[in-house]
Structure formats: structure tokens, C-alpha cells
Amino acid sequence: RVIKISSSIQAQPSSQTLISYPSCLQRQNSDLFRPSRPLQCRLLHTSSSRWGLEAFFDLPENWGETTVKSGAPWTAKQLRAKSNEDLHKLWYVLLKEKNMLLTIEQEAKRQHVQMPSPERIKKVERSMRRLDTIVKEREDALRLLQTGEEKGRPGEWRRNVFGKTFWYRFREHPIPWYMNKRYKRKRFYTPSFVAPYTRLSLEKYLKSKVRRETREKRKQKKLSEMFPKKTAQA
């Protein structure tokens, strides 16, 4: 705003008004210009950071108990029905639970006592494994929709000099492949003289598989003879 002063008579009230107007420092120190808010109100709300080691241990009512009730692990069907945000939150809940259970297990080992309900660790690990599988399924589906690639890092099936088939993942190189001496030293083919040994290797694998199955059948038969099943009498 522009103030026009026509004469000295009109300038005197204006100067008095400017002099009597409080400065910024005076307004800050004065109670008149302070905003009225509760004394206990905080501008930034945060969770309390004054936590001890209680979060790494079980609830106090479970201390000294031999068994602790726990639910079933999360199934893949239940996890597929949840959103990505819920899966993200559930992962950290399971991670916190796993850290708590591992702390209890270590404390039980230190005191030479039995951990109450140790099967809870297996349930949490199984749930985390299934959750990770569901997230990978969604990532693969999104990648297939956008790029058409089945894996996150493209590649192809190749054979080495020993006749073994393996998955070769493509990598970026600063120079073309025909100028890369290190890449040209790799042999992605099987020589003709390796073919008989490949057949013998396959035969050895099949024989070991048959022996393993036969050993398992004998073990099951021996157990059935030692502990015969008794039918329930009506």
C-alpha cells in the first residue's frame, strides 16, 4: 500500500501511528499475540520411545507357563485375499513376533529350561514363507502383464561342457559379446565325446533314485510290522 502525505499536518498522526505500532519482537513477548492452545498439546505426534526390552518377551501372563495357546499359521488362500498394504503390515507383525520368539528361545537355552510352545516359531516362519510366495506371485503376474518376461532377470536354458543343463541369466556388458574375451572363454555347448558320460550320469541318477525309494519302502514295511494298525472295534 502507498501512503500519500499531502501536508505536515496530516503527517504527524501517521508518524504517531507507526511509532505506537508494536514491533515483531514485542508481539512475540506479549501474551496478547500468543495463540491460545492447551499446554499439553504437541505439534508433532509421535509414538512413545521410552520402551525397554518388554517387546522382545512374551506377555507377563504367559511367563512360567509350559504351553501357550497360539492360532494356526496363515494359509495361502487367506493371504491372497489381502491387499498389498495389508501384506506389508502383516510382514512386520510376523517379523516382530519372530524376533520375540527367538529371544524367548535363547533365554530358555540360557536358563536350561524348555521353551513354552516352541512350535510357534515354525508357524511364524511358515506364514512368512507363504507371504513371500504370494508377493512374488503378484510381482511375476505384473511383470508378465507389462513386459511379458516370466522372471525378473531374463535368461535361457543352456548346456555346459559337461552336458549339464542350467539357467543362464543375462547380464549387461560394456562391450559387445564378440569383443569380450572373458565371455568368449565360456563354452555353452557340449562336445561330442561327452555324450556317453552324460548317459552314464543319467543312469547313475536313476539308479540312486530307485535305491532311495526301495529303502524308504523297506523302512515303512518294517515300521508297519513293529506297530501294526489296530482297527477300532464297534
Side-chain angles (χ1 to χ4, degrees), residues 1 39 60 76 106 143 155 170 172 191 202:
R1 297 179 181 178
L39 298 177
Q106 187 65 27
R143 190 186 309 108
F170 296 147
E172 294 184 358
L202 179 60

Side-chain angles (χ1 to χ4, degrees), residues 66-121:
T66 56
T67 58
V68 179
K69 293 183 179 181
S70 60
W74 288 87
T75 61
K77 185 177 180 180
Q78 294 173 345
L79 294 174
R80 287 191 180 97
K82 293 188 173 294
S83 61
N84 293 334
E85 184 178 358
D86 293 341
L87 292 179
H88 185 79
K89 295 178 181 178
L90 181 59
W91 174 265
Y92 283 99
V93 171
L94 293 173
L95 182 61
K96 184 178 179 180
E97 184 73 12
K98 182 180 178 182
N99 291 337
M100 185 265 292
L101 293 175
L102 292 177
T103 305
I104 296 176
E105 183 184 21
Q106 187 65 27
E107 183 66 16
K109 290 181 180 179
R110 189 183 67 85
Q111 297 182 6
H112 302 285
V113 295
Q114 178 65 28
M115 174 186 174
S117 300
E119 68 276 1
R120 291 182 292 173
I121 299 179

Side-chain angles (χ1 to χ4, degrees), residues 7 16 18 21 30-31 38 41 88 99 102-103 122 126 132 143 154-155 184 192 199 208 210 216 230-231:
S7 62
Q16 292 178 358
L18 292 175
Y21 192 79
S30 176
D31 296 336
C41 179
H88 185 79
N99 291 337
L102 292 177
T103 305
K122 297 295 182 181
R126 195 177 300 117
D132 192 18
R143 190 186 309 108
K184 290 172 66 175
S192 57
R199 180 179 58 82
S208 63
V210 171
E216 185 66 24
K230 297 181 179 180
T231 57

